[in-house]
Amino acid sequence: MDKPILQPRFKDSPHFKDFWEKGNGKQLIDFSGAEVSFKNFEKFSQYFHHVDQVGDEVVKDVYLVKKFHEASREIEGYIRNGVSDTDHIPESVRKLFLQTQKVPEWLDYNLLKSGAELCMRSNLDSLISLRDYCLMGGYDYAYLNKPLTATEALKKGAVKRLSETLDFWVNATRYDALELHAKGYEFAIKTRLIHSYARLSIRKYYKEWDTENWGEPINSWDMMATYIGFSLVFLHSLQKLGNTFSAEEEKGIFHLWKYVGYLLGIPEELLPDNKKQATEYFYLWTSVQPPSDKDSILLAHSLLNESLENPILKFKFERKNLRYLHICCTWFLLDDEVCKRLQIPDVPAKNIFPKTKIMINKVYDKLVSRDARIKKGNKDQMKVLDDYLNITKNSNFH
């Protein structure tokens, strides 16, 4: 049976037009100098039905024939020690590791370093951006979130989900993290196999999956959009919060996530090199995504209420205050239309915190050296990650 021909089905819808003509989409076009059109739509839309076959085969050959902990130990061995052409291992495993061990010709270690430095230097603004713009904004794309619904991620709770995202992001964005066999490399391979495992489970157990509308579960096009969240959307958010970055750092962020995407098995032609390409690619993808639905609202509220559930802060008033600050940042960073669709509560004096942040960033930028900011940012981000990991380890957030 031929796959249905995909159209940019929402290009005339109000949510699409509002975003690209007067909302954050318009800001992204201004920010990047993108020239958006539908002329490359078919080149990209085929990836709506494309998945990482190599990862899927590894899961079938290793995880589905052994006990989970044995399979994990075996894969960890390959991650740490590599594989060769002559090893007696399943063909799928050889294929996956020969691809990820082969450093692409385009890789530039200096750019990886610049990208990592910007992530660290932006300190807690990086984490605000990831949470209140990238993650929350992503919930507005109803079909993108269907795998979360299908795998019942909501039941796991936002603390656990945030902890996993943070663990991956922090470990991929440190110095030398993406060297072969290093921590970021390990996270990329494991994340890739988690995606494959989830996809095979959805296909097997989730009979309501609507391939025609939602594409394949965790398809390559959706993966591209997610990684544009980590690069383009992340940069735009940092800029909104009053951070500046050099052309080298900007290039570095795209380069870093392009390489992570490569390790994750996303086809290279989907991985943008710069903000102009990223905005043009993102434009096409958003045209097949409807706005928030009831699942989106549940996910958004689960993330908002994470501050109340999370025992990092001891006192209730501190937790309520943290939730308030995240709500302020969400309204500041996302379009009002998106916030209304996700039913983000409207709170008083919501611009005071973000505007103060912008002023502080401007002063901080002048007074503190870049190296000192990188060191402090790295330390502060590691502290947040440790707090989250301790909580998920020592509690019932499973």
Side-chain angles (χ1 to χ4, degrees):
M1 190 181 104
D2 280 343
K3 291 197 180 94
I5 301 277
L6 188 62
Q7 301 294 339
R9 51 196 168 195
F10 294 105
K11 73 175 176 20
D12 298 319
S13 303
H15 76 278
F16 179 83
K17 289 180 128 164
D18 281 349
F19 182 79
W20 289 105
E21 287 170 16
K22 53 182 195 223
N24 269 340
K26 182 182 186 306
Q27 289 180 18
L28 288 172
I29 292 172
D30 296 342
F31 172 57
S32 67
E35 293 160 39
V36 295
S37 75
F38 290 102
K39 77 170 183 277
N40 289 324
F41 183 78
E42 274 159 32
K43 180 183 147 192
F44 286 92
S45 61
Q46 59 177 318
Y47 290 103
F48 202 47
H49 296 283
H50 177 278
V51 297
D52 170 24
Q53 294 290 357
V54 177
D56 291 9
E57 292 306 317
V58 172
V59 170
K60 287 177 196 163
D61 291 344
V62 181
Y63 282 90
L64 300 184
V65 293
K66 299 185 174 178
K67 289 198 172 99
F68 192 81
H69 68 271
E70 285 171 14
S72 297
R73 199 175 322 131
E74 185 178 322
I75 294 294
E76 274 180 13
Y78 303 137
I79 288 171
R80 299 227 155 82
N81 310 311
V83 304
S84 73
D85 267 338
T86 53
D87 289 347
H88 292 296
I89 51 175
E91 195 44 48
S92 60
V93 172
R94 188 189 327 277
K95 213 166 163 180
L96 177 100
F97 283 96
L98 290 180
Q99 181 242 319
T100 57
Q101 285 168 200
K102 181 176 178 287
V103 174
E105 280 168 22
W106 47 260
L107 191 67
D108 177 335
Y109 286 100
N110 288 327
L111 280 180
L112 286 184
K113 181 169 177 270
S114 297
E117 285 180 345
L118 177 61
C119 289
M120 293 187 276
R121 182 167 78 71
S122 308
N123 201 329
L124 298 182
D125 283 6
S126 288
L127 307 187
I128 290 171
S129 298
L130 288 170
R131 179 184 181 132
D132 299 335
Y133 191 166
C134 309
L135 209 55
M136 191 61 92
Y139 291 153
D140 190 42
Y141 299 105
Y143 294 166
L144 177 66
N145 301 307
K146 291 303 165 200
L148 286 174
T149 316
T151 54
E152 299 193 320
L154 257 172
K155 287 186 182 159
K156 228 165 54 169
V159 177
K160 182 92 172 112
R161 215 166 45 250
L162 213 52
S163 171
E164 287 166 356
T165 305
L166 193 60
D167 205 7
F168 171 67
W169 184 86
V170 167
N171 280 295
T173 57
R174 304 303 100 173
Y175 285 127
D176 305 325
L178 298 169
E179 298 275 345
L180 290 186
H181 321 307
K183 199 104 187 237
Y185 172 83
E186 176 182 348
F187 264 85
I189 307 291
K190 286 181 174 172
T191 303
R192 180 173 182 172
L193 295 175
I194 289 166
H195 287 155
S196 284
Y197 196 90
R199 178 165 41 246
L200 295 172
S201 302
I202 290 168
R203 282 190 184 142
K204 188 170 174 184
Y205 300 111
Y206 193 75
K207 298 295 174 249
E208 302 93 280
W209 189 267
D210 177 358
T211 308
E212 187 177 341
N213 279 311
W214 305 347
E216 286 293 334
I218 316 176
N219 62 71
S220 299
W221 208 18
D222 284 357
M223 288 290 290
M224 174 207 86
T226 305
Y227 283 83
I228 285 175
F230 284 122
S231 54
L232 174 73
V233 175
F234 175 77
L235 272 182
H236 186 226
S237 181
L238 288 184
Q239 189 201 45
K240 280 187 155 200
L241 292 167
N243 296 275
T244 53
F245 32 85
S246 66
E248 182 78 2
E249 286 176 323
E250 184 184 297
K251 252 167 97 176
I253 274 283
F254 285 99
H255 202 70
L256 187 147
W257 290 108
K258 180 177 183 173
Y259 187 43
V260 174
Y262 166 85
L263 293 174
L264 277 158
I266 303 173
E268 277 184 50
E269 55 273 27
L270 293 181
L271 298 165
D273 287 313
N274 52 52
K275 62 188 176 188
K276 181 178 184 293
Q277 275 179 0
T279 306
E280 289 164 1
Y281 295 4
F282 188 53
Y283 179 80
L284 296 174
W285 176 84
T286 57
S287 73
V288 302
Q289 292 287 328
S292 322
D293 60 8
K294 62 180 194 319
D295 291 332
S296 307
I297 293 165
L298 285 171
L299 286 161
H301 283 252
S302 170
L303 181 58
L304 279 187
N305 295 330
E306 184 270 346
S307 307
L308 302 178
E309 293 162 26
N310 191 329
I312 289 177
L313 294 174
K314 217 153 110 190
F315 299 107
K316 198 172 173 187
F317 78 90
E318 293 177 300
R319 295 181 195 181
K320 280 172 101 163
N321 187 44
L322 183 61
R323 180 177 185 267
Y324 167 77
L325 295 178
H326 280 303
I327 290 172
C328 294
C329 290
T330 300
W331 276 101
F332 182 75
L333 294 167
L334 296 180
D335 294 346
D336 285 2
E337 260 44 53
V338 175
C339 291
K340 285 171 193 158
R341 281 199 289 270
L342 293 170
Q343 295 176 14
I344 308 295
D346 203 348
V347 292
K350 56 179 181 266
N351 272 339
I352 291 176
F353 176 63
K355 295 263 164 85
T356 309
K357 221 166 178 351
I358 292 168
M359 275 165 35
I360 292 169
N361 280 337
K362 292 205 164 116
V363 176
Y364 191 61
D365 230 19
K366 290 193 173 77
L367 296 181
V368 185
S369 76
R370 184 171 179 273
D371 283 351
R373 280 179 287 155
I374 291 168
K375 274 201 183 82
K376 180 165 173 24
N378 175 46
K379 196 172 145 210
D380 292 353
Q381 289 173 358
M382 292 307 257
K383 164 88 173 78
V384 174
L385 175 60
D386 284 345
D387 286 345
Y388 267 92
L389 294 180
N390 285 331
I391 281 166
T392 47
K393 200 168 72 198
N394 301 326
S395 67
N396 55 358
F397 292 109
H398 291 306

